[in-house]
């Protein structure tokens, strides 16, 4: 088996950040995404590493607060120093993420390695696009953005651009709590099958795979929804179903 050329993460995404609060949030996002991921959660990356990231973000916020209370040059210098320390933490995080993301046990293509990196909240380097074949399964985050409103964001990476992306939302019976096992969802030869023992609401949306965000409106307020997605390159090249996300309408 040929050894794949390592996919790196773009340091310029965070080294060019000049606003302290923005860099602080970037660190927080890396900690949250990393600890929640399959590849980068503890113990793959030690808890002490994530604790150091949290401390770096807190130090920036403390410096910002002190400067707001006393906007002196000295306090501005402290903000700059805390931002520099946060960048050092991010550099160490990058080394760990890149190492894990490129392991042969975690990827078989450079595209998969890039997808792995994206799940850590870091931005993978651009890679040469291969001929369109079966796309990798989508990786996304989902959140409630208002009453009956839900937004999904694809985080596979910029190079992930299947021809189309389909999201499926399936309502949960109000009495159910995770883990949800009332419905069986499968995808075979491009045909989506949903079998449920209860009456459910099903909402779908298909759009260009180049878009990062998909918005759903008019959902039932307070009702839980199971969220899945799959990608296509043409009619026959279809990804596996994504992992399940959960959100309230």
């Amino acid at each position: 088996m040929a050894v794949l050329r390592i996919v790196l993460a773009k340091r310029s995404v965070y080294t060019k950040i000049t606003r302290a609060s923005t860099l602080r949030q970037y660190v927080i996002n890396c900690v949250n995404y990393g600890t929640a991921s399959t590849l980068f959660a503890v113990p793959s990356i030690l808890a002490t590493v994530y604790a150091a990231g949290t401390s770096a973000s807190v130090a920036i916020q403390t410096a910002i607060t002190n400067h707001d209370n006393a906007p002196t040059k000295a306090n501005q210098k402290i903000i700059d120093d805390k931002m520099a320390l946060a960048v050092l933490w991010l550099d160490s995080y990058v080394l760990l993420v890149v190492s894990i993301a490129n392991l042969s046990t975690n990827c078989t293509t450079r595209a998969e390695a890039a997808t792995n990196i994206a799940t850590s909240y870091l931005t993978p380097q651009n890679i040469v696009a291969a001929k369109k074949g079966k796309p990798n399964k989508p990786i996304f985050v989902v959140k409630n953005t208002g009453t009956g409103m839900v937004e999904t964001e694809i985080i596979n990476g910029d190079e992930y651009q299947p021809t189309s992306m389909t999201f499926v939302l399936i309502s949960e019976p109000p009495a159910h709590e995770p883990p949800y096992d009332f419905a069986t969802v499968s995808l075979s030869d491009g045909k989506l099958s949903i079998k449920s023992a209860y009456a459910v609401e099903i909402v779908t949306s298909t759009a260009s795979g180049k878009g990062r965000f998909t918005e759903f409106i008019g959902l039932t307020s307070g009702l839980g929804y199971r969220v899945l997605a799959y990608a296509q390159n043409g009619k026959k090249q279809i990804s596996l179903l994504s992992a399940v996300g959960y959100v309230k309408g």
Side-chain angles (χ1 to χ4, degrees):
M1 180 183 295
V3 177
L4 298 176
R5 186 157 53 92
I6 289 177
V7 178
L8 303 175
K10 292 183 179 180
R11 293 181 64 256
S12 59
V13 173
Y14 60 84
T15 56
K16 291 183 179 181
I17 295 176
T18 57
R19 188 178 180 86
S21 59
T22 302
L23 184 62
R24 169 184 171 273
Q25 188 59 53
Y26 190 92
V27 172
I28 290 173
N29 290 346
C30 285
V31 171
N32 289 342
Y33 275 63
T35 54
S37 73
T38 300
L39 291 180
F40 310 115
V42 178
S44 295
I45 293 180
L46 296 178
T48 53
V49 173
Y50 288 119
T54 299
S55 295
S57 67
V58 170
I60 291 177
Q61 183 55 58
T62 300
I64 292 173
T65 300
N66 290 339
H67 182 266
D68 288 344
N69 293 332
T72 64
K73 290 184 178 180
N75 281 341
Q76 179 58 57
K77 180 63 168 58
I78 291 174
I79 292 178
D80 296 339
D81 290 343
K82 299 306 180 185
M83 290 179 67
L85 290 175
V87 168
L88 289 177
W89 179 84
L90 286 166
D91 285 344
S92 68
Y93 181 61
V94 165
L95 290 175
L96 294 169
V97 166
V98 167
S99 175
I100 295 170
N102 284 276
L103 288 174
S104 60
T105 52
N106 294 331
C107 67
T108 56
T109 66
R110 298 187 78 232
E112 287 180 324
T115 296
N116 291 343
I117 291 172
T119 64
S120 73
Y121 196 75
L122 297 173
T123 301
Q125 69 178 142
N126 295 328
I127 59 177
V128 177
K131 292 182 179 179
K132 285 187 178 291
K134 182 178 179 179
N136 293 329
K137 65 181 179 181
I139 301 174
F140 63 89
V141 292
V142 59
K143 63 181 179 180
N144 179 278
T145 56
T147 302
M149 300 172 62
V150 167
E151 181 181 82
T152 63
E153 177 186 0
I154 293 294
I155 59 173
N156 287 70
D158 291 340
E159 81 292 338
Y160 186 74
Q161 295 184 2
T163 303
S164 65
M165 185 83 64
T166 298
F167 277 93
V168 182
L169 275 65
I170 308 167
S171 67
E172 306 284 352
H176 276 56
E177 294 294 339
Y180 302 112
D181 55 5
F182 71 97
T184 300
V185 184
S186 62
L187 181 66
S188 177
D189 295 327
K191 297 178 181 179
L192 185 71
S193 173
I194 302 173
K195 298 179 180 179
S196 174
Y198 301 85
V200 294
E201 174 188 355
I202 300 173
V203 182
T204 64
S205 176
T206 300
S208 166
K210 294 182 180 181
R212 299 288 95 184
F213 298 89
T214 301
E215 185 179 45
F216 294 86
I217 60 175
L219 301 177
T220 303
S221 176
L223 189 63
Y225 289 86
R226 175 187 292 193
V227 186
L228 300 103
Y230 62 93
Q232 290 184 245
N233 285 327
K235 293 183 179 180
K236 296 183 178 180
Q237 301 293 345
I238 304 170
S239 75
L240 299 174
L241 274 174
S242 69
V244 179
Y246 299 100
V247 72
K248 292 284 188 179

